[in-house]
Amino acid sequence: MAAAPEAAAPRGVFGRGVLTSLAFTATMAALALANNVVISRLAGPGPRGLYALGVSLLAVALPILSLGQGPTSTFLIGRGTAPARVAGLVYGVAAALLPVGGAVALGVHLIHGGVPTTGMLAALGLAALALPAAALLEGVRGCYLGLRQVTRYNLCQAAVIALVLVLNAALLPRGDAWVLWNLGLGYWIVALGVLVLARPRLAWPGRALIGRAARYGARASAVVLADAGLLRVDYLLMAAMVPVEHLGIYAIADQITHIMSWPGLLAGRMMLAESASDAGSARTLDKLGLAVRLYVAAIVGAGALAAACLWWVIPAVFGDPFAPAYLGVLILLPASLCKGVHAQIATYLEGQGAQRPVVRAGVVALAVDVALVLALVPRFGWLAAAAVRTAAYAVQLALSLAALARHAGGPRPGLVLTRADAQAVARWIAARRARSAAGAHDDAA
């Protein structure tokens, strides 16, 4: 975060950023899978459900209380704001959340009459303690993405997952409550590491930038909150409807299909930086269409492979109590496709400054999700929640595709990979090889 003031982010690195993020995705997917295995084997479905509650509360609270610092930081730097001023804003928001998180955690302690170790109150207290560190990391990652420092952007997230995995393996044998404490420790240790190692240059953002960030951030937080709500609100609602063990089984099915959607979600993050620094250009819209079609082809192939083998992999890896998660995976597979495609379309529109249709799509989909979960889960159980989530993501994608068509002033991009797409990818690979060969020749000379 030490680039020259008012320097615009470099352009033309979307493809390289996506490939770098895909490499990190494979690593983070392996780490997340290992973390789930550790929790499942050492603690069982109950603590896995408790872990899901803690993650869900943090995911819902973060965009509200941090005013969408992640996408806001990316947008501001992409539009030429000095990185030091954006970093000052990020660190200021994190500092302001310290007393907020402490007050909520103290309230939980007083209500419970001590430190809770299980249930919703325990998850709430942990989320409050972890909130300032999570907000700092989200804002810093947004700055890195705006500067196109994709490796650092991904390293922050990978470090949290890796650290939580190590802590769970070391401390879960001491008691199930460590499944929450380890999550909070993971965020705080990585946040403090970034603070010490990055040594960012900070500048007072100024009243005008704070106002601009607040306006954009309010809409950005609504977008992030809708996405987080679709991903997490069913856990919070189901906590009062189904046993916590069922939450743990559902969480495994959800985690598997969510990992499958990571390439689309990460490509969406790269698209936000690309679109913000290339307003009104048809070139970025063409990149969006190609990225979406490549993702659809990949997720269809991955879904077929998952359907063929997970029926025996899930009980073999996580244990027999988690075998019912296979049916949940089958129900949630279409949600992975819808989620990844929407992520790329939504961030393209956000980068162009068209946030309202993205907010609208998320709010409508979240309303569908909440209404159907309340109506169906008490009668049909956690599998109904999986079906409801798939339906909600389908609604969100349909609305975002319609918004893209209106914004672009023409037909929306197709979803099926074409021969022209294959030729474009081949030309891009050839150009990359030519540049690499030229660079090697210059080094040798």
Side-chain angles (χ1 to χ4, degrees), residues 391-436:
Y393 274 119
V395 169
Q396 185 185 39
L397 176 59
L399 292 174
S400 63
L401 284 169
L404 177 63
R406 291 193 300 270
H407 179 80
R412 60 197 182 198
L415 300 179
V416 179
L417 203 62
T418 65
R419 179 178 296 181
D421 293 330
Q423 292 171 345
V425 172
R427 288 194 300 270
W428 183 83
I429 293 174
R432 290 285 301 163
R433 287 178 175 175
R435 286 196 294 269
S436 298

Side-chain angles (χ1 to χ4, degrees), residues 142-391:
C143 290
Y144 284 148
L145 186 56
L147 293 168
R148 307 299 178 89
Q149 296 176 0
V150 179
T151 299
R152 293 184 178 185
Y153 163 79
N154 284 291
L155 271 175
C156 290
Q157 184 179 12
V160 173
I161 299 173
L163 189 55
V164 171
L165 166 61
V166 171
L167 291 171
N168 279 330
L171 299 177
L172 261 183
R174 299 187 177 186
D176 294 347
W178 281 102
V179 78
L180 289 177
W181 288 109
N182 293 337
L183 179 62
L185 285 172
Y187 275 108
W188 270 107
I189 292 172
V190 175
L192 292 174
V194 168
L195 184 63
V196 172
L197 297 176
R199 296 192 299 274
R201 291 192 314 193
L202 305 181
W204 175 247
R207 183 177 299 178
L209 180 59
I210 292 174
R212 184 184 180 194
R215 289 189 296 273
Y216 186 91
R219 294 189 294 270
S221 64
V223 173
V224 176
L225 180 60
D227 290 340
L230 282 175
L231 190 62
R232 301 297 180 186
V233 76
D234 45 7
Y235 288 100
L236 305 180
L237 296 174
M238 286 194 295
M241 303 179 191
V242 301
V244 69
E245 291 79 11
H246 290 184
L247 278 182
I249 296 170
Y250 177 61
I252 292 298
D254 178 29
Q255 184 68 26
I256 291 171
T257 51
H258 184 59
I259 287 174
M260 293 174 63
S261 68
W262 273 5
L265 300 177
L266 290 171
R269 282 296 188 102
M270 302 301 109
M271 181 55 67
L272 176 58
E274 186 78 13
S275 179
S277 61
D278 195 27
S281 171
R283 184 173 62 89
T284 303
L285 186 60
D286 291 340
K287 289 183 181 181
L288 170 66
L290 177 58
V292 164
R293 291 189 290 273
L294 286 171
Y295 173 75
V296 169
I299 202 69
V300 168
L305 181 63
C309 66
L310 286 181
W311 67 273
W312 61 268
V313 170
I314 289 176
V317 173
F318 298 101
D320 290 337
F322 291 92
Y326 173 71
L327 186 54
V329 169
L330 296 184
I331 297 173
L332 287 168
L333 280 174
S336 297
L337 187 150
C338 295
K339 187 190 310 180
V341 173
H342 165 77
Q344 297 174 69
I345 293 172
T347 49
Y348 168 80
L349 291 172
E350 286 183 80
Q352 299 293 305
Q355 293 172 292
R356 290 182 183 276
V358 181
V359 174
R360 188 181 304 116
V363 169
V364 171
L366 184 58
V368 169
D369 187 55
V370 170
L372 292 181
V373 164
L374 292 174
L376 299 178
V377 169
R379 182 174 181 181
F380 299 104
W382 68 269
L383 286 174
V388 167
R389 180 182 288 192
T390 294

